[in-house]
């Protein structure tokens, strides 16, 4: 994979959100505090600690509509809004967001830098082996961001396999990178980019022929940039589903969270949140974590 990544690290203000970088060992100012989280690898009850601290620290990607960091530092988006509502039902006052690259989210969770991931971190075998996902909140789709008119006709992963000249922008450690690797797309066809905006710019500048990202994320980017098209759903990509992800030792939290999530899903508020962000609340009906954790990669 060729990298367009700038290994930047930044601590964004001292507001509700800090930025965690992928560099190993780079610690945020709060990584030594455990306001609601249990220590990595312990079975301390994160639920009791979060109730006491009044806050649950959540890793987000800032990729609307899955997650969004408002200019005042408020964390929102479909997943954090559901997490906040269920946390309140569990007696936890609020959530506090930490923005991190997808590739850092599970290591940061295991290191105790945050208590939970609610970022649209899609379930697949390797991730399900490292964290405890709650039942799914979101089931969504993947697309390609392409130059206007899709001149190279990129509509499926198979099209990338069939044309070794094609370069596909992906987020390092992201679900789409995993799809390409599982399909055995050579890494020299993969272009790593920092975030959604960088992926779009890579396509517009001709450094990549397409940007592989969730359909709704590309559509959100296209709202502010008419310089690229979003393809139909990529038919040969696996079903993408996500829920909150806790440490494997936080069993009490996952059990209690799932109970409250199931009850919350029966309320109009749940559907209102999903609808506000453009998701189909019913898309997750009947879909289980067990099923989604069968995704290869
Ligand atoms: O689960 C992932 O890794 C992917 N999820 C989202 C919401 N965006 C891109 C990322 O690769």
């Amino acid at each position: 994979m060729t990298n367009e990544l700038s290994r930047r690290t930044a601590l964004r203000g001292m507001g509700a959100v800090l930025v965690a970088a992928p560099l190993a060992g780079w610690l945020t100012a709060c990584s030594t505090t455990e306001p609601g989280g249990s220590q990595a690898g312990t079975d301390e009850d994160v639920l009791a600690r979060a109730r006491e601290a009044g806050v649950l620290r959540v890793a987000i990607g800032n990729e609307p509509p899955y997650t969004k960091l408002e200019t005042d530092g408020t964390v929102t988006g479909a997943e954090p809004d559901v997490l906040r509502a269920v946390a309140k039902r569990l007696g936890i006052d609020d959530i506090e967001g930490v923005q991190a690259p997808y590739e850092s989210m599970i290591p940061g969770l295991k290191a105790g830098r945050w208590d939970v991931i609610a970022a649209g971190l899609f379930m697949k075998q390797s991730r399900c082996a490292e964290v405890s996902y709650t039942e799914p909140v979101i089931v969504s789709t993947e697309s390609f961001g392409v130059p206007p008119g899709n001149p190279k006709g990129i509509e499926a992963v198979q099209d990338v396999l069939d044309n070794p000249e094609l370069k596909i922008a992906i987020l390092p450690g992201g679900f789409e990178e995993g799809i390409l690797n599982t399909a055995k797309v050579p890494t020299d066809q993969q272009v790593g980019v920092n975030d959604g905006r960088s992926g779009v710019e890579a396509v517009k500048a001709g450094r990549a022929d397409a940007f592989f990202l969730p359909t709704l994320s590309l559509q959100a980017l296209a709202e502010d940039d008419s310089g690229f098209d979003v393809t139909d759903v990529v038919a040969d990509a696996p079903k993408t589903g996500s829920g909150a992800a806790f440490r494997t030792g936080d069993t009490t939290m996952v059990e209690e969270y799932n109970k409250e999530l199931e009850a919350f899903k029966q309320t109009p508020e749940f559907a209102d949140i999903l609808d506000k962000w453009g998701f189909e609340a019913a898309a997750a009906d009947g879909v289980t974590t067990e099923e989604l954790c069968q995704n290869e990669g």
Side-chain angles (χ1 to χ4, degrees):
M1 169 174 69
T2 58
N3 278 347
E4 292 205 352
L5 306 179
S6 57
R7 285 288 179 195
R8 73 189 187 294
T9 59
L11 198 58
R12 183 168 295 156
M14 292 307 288
V17 177
L18 298 174
V19 175
L23 296 180
W26 188 82
L27 299 176
T28 63
C30 296
S31 60
T32 53
T33 59
E34 300 299 334
S38 54
Q39 293 293 343
T42 66
D43 58 1
E44 284 183 271
D45 184 349
V46 69
L47 177 54
R49 291 171 61 118
R51 280 170 171 159
E52 174 67 27
V55 70
L56 200 59
R57 284 169 48 74
V58 56
I60 64 162
N62 193 17
E63 183 185 310
Y66 294 84
T67 59
K68 185 180 182 185
L69 171 61
E70 298 292 358
T71 48
D72 67 358
T74 305
V75 167
T76 184
E79 289 254 24
D81 284 359
V82 171
L83 177 76
R84 180 182 284 108
V86 178
K88 287 185 186 303
R89 293 168 71 103
L90 287 168
I92 301 167
D93 297 339
D94 204 355
I95 64 173
E96 189 177 87
V98 181
Q99 185 178 342
Y102 291 99
E103 63 184 339
S104 302
M105 291 181 180
I106 290 179
L109 178 70
K110 295 169 81 170
R113 288 165 64 184
W114 33 84
D115 307 312
V116 61
I117 302 165
L121 195 74
F122 302 140
M123 299 179 194
K124 60 178 181 177
Q125 292 170 10
S126 57
R127 290 172 174 175
C128 294
E130 293 199 81
V131 300
S132 284
Y133 276 103
T134 67
E135 287 307 306
V137 167
I138 280 170
V139 171
S140 56
T141 60
E142 301 274 9
S143 288
F144 289 111
V146 293
N150 194 1
K152 296 191 177 174
I154 304 170
E155 296 176 343
V157 175
Q158 189 58 49
D159 295 326
V160 182
L161 283 166
D162 293 345
N163 181 351
E165 299 301 311
L166 292 178
K167 302 286 187 190
I168 309 298
I170 40 92
L171 303 178
F175 191 79
E176 297 74 28
E177 180 189 48
I179 293 173
L180 296 185
N181 290 337
T182 300
K184 301 201 179 353
V185 171
T187 51
D188 65 6
Q189 286 189 256
Q190 302 178 31
V191 177
V193 292
N194 271 326
D195 52 29
R197 178 49 47 209
S198 310
V200 167
E201 292 309 320
V203 170
K204 291 172 68 176
R207 294 192 298 274
D209 299 294
F211 179 29
F212 198 9
L213 202 71
T215 308
L216 288 174
S217 304
L218 288 167
Q219 290 173 346
L221 289 163
E223 285 172 11
D224 301 326
D225 186 333
S226 58
F228 72 102
D229 286 352
V230 180
T231 68
D232 291 340
V233 169
V234 177
D236 58 356
K239 181 183 289 187
T240 63
S242 61
F246 291 94
R247 280 179 288 275
T248 51
D250 293 333
T251 49
T252 303
M253 172 58 110
V254 173
E255 286 165 11
E256 294 304 312
Y257 191 96
N258 275 330
K259 285 180 199 165
E260 285 301 337
L261 174 61
E262 185 52 38
F264 182 58
K265 281 184 171 181
Q266 311 313 312
T267 69
E269 188 188 357
F270 174 74
D272 290 348
I273 290 173
L274 274 287
D275 183 58
K276 169 186 175 183
W277 293 103
F279 291 91
E280 287 293 329
D285 287 355
V287 181
T288 64
T289 296
E290 183 181 8
E291 173 190 348
L292 293 168
C293 284
Q294 300 309 310
N295 279 334
E296 286 185 74

